[in-house]
Amino acid sequence: MRGLSFSSTAIAAASLFLSTVLADVDPIVIKGSKFFYKTNGTEFFIKGVAYQQDVGGNGTSSANVNFVDPLTDVAGCTRDIPYLQQLQTNTIRVYAIDPTKSHQECMTMLQNAGIYVVADLSAPNVSINRDSPSWNVELYDRYTSVVDTLAPYSNTLGFFAGNEVSNNVSNVNAIPFVKAAARDMKAYIKSKNYRTIGVGYASDDDATIRVDLEDYLNCGLTEDSIDFFGYNIYSWCGKSSFQTSGYAARTQEFSNYSIPAFFAEYGCNVPEPRLFDETIALYGSQMTPVWSGGIVYEYFQEANNYGLVSVSGDTVSKLADFTALSTQIAKVTPSGVQMASYTPTNTVARDCPATGTSWEAATALPPTPNEQLCSCMVASLSCVAKPGLNDTAISDLFGSACDPKNGQNICAGIANNGTTGSYGAYSGCNATDQLSWAFNAYYQEQKASNSANTDACDFGKAATTKSAASPTGQCSALVNQAGGAAGTGTVTSQPSGTGAITGSGSAPASTSKGAASSVNVPSFIFGLLSLGAYMSAAALVGAGIVLL
């Protein structure tokens, strides 16, 4: 049942002053498997609330490209922060921000309220797709732009490189791309001389993959692994218990985890209203040695009925869930340790899970996307994709260009397979640039075997020839490391400027800067290219695509 309705007008004036004075909070740091306040060394337990509407949290998907970034909504922050404070909130989770807008006022208000932010790096239309995963320049640009936006604020607690990307055995091949994203964002934060900010992952509670997933993201080199693990868990429903809910078993699983773990979402809403008895357990003596708190899903009432409040304009109505959470959170006083006296005992990373039928994720990770490499590559081609191709056409055309009958490894340079760990040097380029590379690979193959084949760079009028530009300078070094025409090398150097291009033909502009297209490049497997679906789709196009 709904609580009393309060106009936020009266409390807005009291909270508005928060935006006028910047008072940096003590940054949160990681030591071993715990969070601490950097200056006073007190252990930090997350008392969080998910704070964003219409972005597909709680394991759901969203096609809402036009999401509202709550950290740019000054009126909303002014209205809601007092209610978050009533819940003793010290952390909010946001699922998608808009890096093109200012976050100064809301982040300042949150700082003054002692509230930290953990932010997902993706957006509803720019994320790692579990069905056809990739880690490419569009995603890299999106993720780094979020880092650049929030890293300057001392109340930025951390970033999520993915949220429930793999949710069952059939799509764990997407996890290497998430781990590569975490690796690259950690390296980016370091390269920009930002303070150390953790990059983690938020997982669902799928019993068939959860242990292997926990191990995989924690195994191997520290610089390649996540910094913290977020668990979206809804197993404590109604009048349950530490044992019955599975909390005891999950706590045992994470008892020797070498990085912090917390509930990135929690709060089963069956039955309604919620009781939040699990809050007492989460911050109690059985769980605080292992878990660093949790984030309740969610602040805003939506169709899924997880809301703590209902908002209409500047009026906030407390719901029954708000009252229940407020009552329970007031009872908890988690007992932690001081950073100076804490010596981690669980310092050993997990072993990587064996690859097999129940875990088809290679330990080898995709390369770091390199926009300059992609631009240099496109400039060096003689046959390229025409601009303006839609997503469906691009997907179909991959099936045509990369048909194994055109050459056993003709598309090895854009291989993108998280199961086998096979990644071409150009696998981080966007779909159009990779299609150009595939067109050119076929075109060169046909020229070598049959110089009279004038249709080799046509593909149903989707491709065109141009004069290839010879790479020099940094471009030359990058393309050579990439393995030249084969694209099967390893790029170890990072671009340090614009490589010079010489030649009579102008290079078509790489489309790397745009928002990520919904199409992803198929996951090629050497020898047996998994293109059945693409070939079937191409066949349906008929005369629109020339199947060569």
Side-chain angles (χ1 to χ4, degrees), residues 88-109:
Q88 299 186 23
T89 304
N90 64 15
T91 305
I92 60 171
R93 178 181 178 183
V94 293
Y95 294 86
I97 73 158
D98 183 352
T100 67
K101 297 181 179 178
S102 173
H103 296 76
Q104 179 69 40
E105 291 186 74
C106 278
M107 290 299 287
T108 301
M109 283 190 275

Side-chain angles (χ1 to χ4, degrees), residues 186-314:
K186 290 171 63 170
Y188 181 79
I189 290 169
K190 185 175 181 179
S191 73
K192 296 285 285 187
N193 292 319
Y194 294 135
R195 65 179 174 86
T196 301
I197 305 173
V199 181
Y201 176 74
S203 171
D204 77 335
D205 188 29
D206 185 272
T208 62
I209 64 171
R210 62 187 173 209
V211 174
D212 283 339
L213 183 64
E214 295 156 15
D215 293 349
Y216 183 85
L217 291 171
N218 183 239
C219 75
L221 299 174
T222 301
E223 55 265 33
D224 292 346
S225 303
I226 60 172
D227 295 317
F228 55 78
F229 191 97
Y231 202 175
N232 298 343
I233 181 169
Y234 294 85
S235 62
W236 187 308
C237 299
K239 283 292 184 182
S240 190
S241 70
F242 182 59
Q243 295 291 337
T244 304
S245 65
Y247 277 28
R250 304 292 79 76
T251 300
Q252 180 60 37
E253 280 177 18
F254 281 90
S255 62
N256 66 346
Y257 216 48
S258 64
I259 58 174
F262 60 92
F263 289 1
E265 292 176 2
Y266 78 94
C268 172
N269 67 350
V270 179
E272 298 178 22
R274 292 182 281 184
L275 304 176
F276 287 111
D277 287 347
E278 69 268 43
T279 303
I280 305 299
L282 179 58
Y283 298 99
S285 60
Q286 290 178 301
M287 297 187 70
T288 51
V290 174
W291 301 97
S292 296
I295 299 171
V296 171
Y297 187 82
E298 63 174 320
Y299 183 77
F300 296 99
Q301 176 71 325
E302 299 184 85
N304 57 13
N305 289 324
Y306 280 90
L308 299 173
V309 303
S310 176
V311 176
S312 177
D314 65 350

Side-chain angles (χ1 to χ4, degrees), residues 122 126-136 139 143 164-166 171 173-175 177-178 517-521 523:
S122 61
V126 192
S127 61
I128 297 172
N129 183 340
R130 68 169 65 101
D131 297 320
S132 184
S134 64
W135 174 232
N136 57 34
L139 291 166
Y143 284 28
E164 301 189 9
V165 176
S166 292
N171 53 40
N173 64 311
I175 281 296
F177 299 91
V178 174
S517 168
S518 62
V519 66
N520 283 306
V521 182
S523 299

Side-chain angles (χ1 to χ4, degrees), residues 506-520:
S506 61
S510 168
T511 55
S512 300
K513 286 286 188 183
S517 168
S518 62
V519 66
N520 283 306

Side-chain angles (χ1 to χ4, degrees), residues 50-73:
Y51 183 69
Q52 190 162 7
Q53 292 178 284
D54 301 325
V55 288
N58 188 31
T60 61
S61 59
S62 172
N64 182 19
V65 176
N66 300 313
F67 62 88
V68 174
D69 178 351
L71 301 184
T72 64
D73 180 5

Side-chain angles (χ1 to χ4, degrees), residues 448-464:
S449 61
N450 181 9
S451 59
N453 186 356
T454 58
D455 293 329
C457 185
D458 184 79
F459 291 89
K461 302 191 183 302
T464 185

